[in-house]
Amino acid sequence: MDCVVIEDDSDGEDDTGTGGCRGIWPLHYSACTYTRPGPNTRPKSKEADMMDRHLRELLNDQFNKELYSAYLYMDFADYYHTRGLHGFGNWYDVQVQEERDHAMLMRAWMLKRGETIELLPIAKPDKTITDDADPLHFALAHEQYVTGLIHTLHDAAEAAGDTDSAKFLDWFVKEQVEEEENATSMIERYDKAVAGGTLEALDTELKARRWKAPSLRVDIF
Ligand code: FEO
């Protein structure tokens, strides 16, 4: 088989294949199945400063989970638009944009540090919605879960002595406080509107929400 093994020893990791043609670049595509090299097989940038391996894996995972969050909120937005509650749909459409921003910030940070993101599959949202209140409760539980992930990431940055990454993640720690407050507030507003017969008015109010660029900016170059 005319294949060459590409190994990147700059990170001290074993990049050899783990089955099939993983980690192998085929010279003739008919000879073995093409698998795009992951981040560990790509040449490092000249500026690479060797981010802690565990931290790098967590950041990569968080990038993927932020995109999953966007998928999840898109599912909620679609539910509400289908129900004719376009204000609630708009609320979650804006959430989708915010989650994409979170993912792109993670990616930018990795690239700035000379690392690359491995583009893993994004899971399919699996929430069963049987009531208009369900997405609101799922959203709060999801944000609480994400808060835990962000704190784990922050702890990993501190444990690695990576103060720049810890400072970068400070923004996400604060952002999660806001995310949980918003999710809690949405449940309270919905319950009050249902009890007071003002759901239509609340839905109209929610149509006004607009996407705003995140206050954090990471320049890759
Ligand atoms: Fe990316 Fe809703 O937190």
Side-chain angles (χ1 to χ4, degrees):
M1 192 188 298
D2 287 321
C3 296
V4 290
V5 177
I6 297 180
E7 289 180 85
D8 169 22
D9 292 322
S10 64
D11 57 5
E13 292 173 23
D14 179 9
D15 297 318
T16 51
T18 55
C21 288
R22 185 170 174 76
I24 295 174
W25 190 288
L27 293 180
H28 302 294
Y29 283 23
S30 57
C32 66
T33 308
Y34 169 66
T35 302
R36 186 179 148 221
N40 293 345
T41 60
R42 287 192 177 178
K44 292 276 182 187
S45 99
K46 288 200 173 76
E47 294 83 29
D49 56 359
M50 302 300 291
M51 184 182 277
D52 174 77
R53 180 179 176 176
H54 180 55
L55 177 60
R56 186 177 70 207
E57 285 170 359
L58 287 178
L59 279 167
N60 203 114
D61 199 39
Q62 192 60 36
F63 165 79
N64 181 272
K65 286 191 161 74
E66 298 292 349
L67 290 177
Y68 171 77
S69 299
Y71 258 33
L72 183 67
Y73 291 145
M74 201 181 300
D75 192 36
F76 295 171
D78 289 355
Y79 169 83
Y80 285 122
H81 285 305
T82 306
R83 294 278 297 148
L85 290 165
H86 297 295
F88 283 85
N90 176 61
W91 176 272
Y92 282 107
D93 277 335
V94 174
Q95 278 302 121
V96 170
Q97 292 173 296
E98 289 199 357
E99 300 303 345
R100 176 211 55 199
D101 292 338
H102 296 169
M104 293 300 274
L105 284 166
M106 295 280 171
R107 169 180 170 267
W109 183 249
M110 295 274 280
L111 286 170
K112 189 178 179 66
R113 293 288 298 271
E115 302 289 347
T116 51
I117 287 277
E118 187 176 7
L119 300 177
L120 300 168
I122 302 164
K124 179 182 176 181
D126 62 351
K127 301 286 182 266
T128 304
I129 303 170
T130 57
D131 183 89
D132 291 343
D134 284 349
L136 309 178
H137 291 278
F138 288 141
L140 176 58
H142 183 68
E143 289 301 339
Q144 288 166 338
Y145 164 67
V146 173
T147 298
L149 296 174
I150 294 292
H151 282 273
T152 299
L153 252 175
H154 197 281
D155 290 349
E158 287 188 333
D162 189 335
T163 50
D164 288 340
S165 289
K167 273 188 216 153
F168 164 73
L169 291 163
D170 281 345
W171 184 88
F172 285 88
V173 170
K174 282 190 208 138
E175 178 73 0
Q176 280 312 119
V177 173
E178 195 180 302
E179 292 282 74
E180 285 197 30
E181 281 174 358
N182 282 343
T184 303
S185 165
M186 282 293 283
I187 293 171
E188 291 168 356
R189 290 168 80 187
Y190 174 85
D191 288 346
K192 201 172 159 193
V194 169
T198 56
L199 189 61
E200 201 176 318
L202 175 58
D203 189 60
T204 299
E205 201 181 316
L206 295 175
K207 285 178 186 164
R209 190 184 191 203
R210 294 286 176 267
W211 171 81
K212 279 189 268 179
S215 58
L216 178 64
R217 183 178 153 154
V218 175
D219 292 321
I220 300 170
F221 55 88

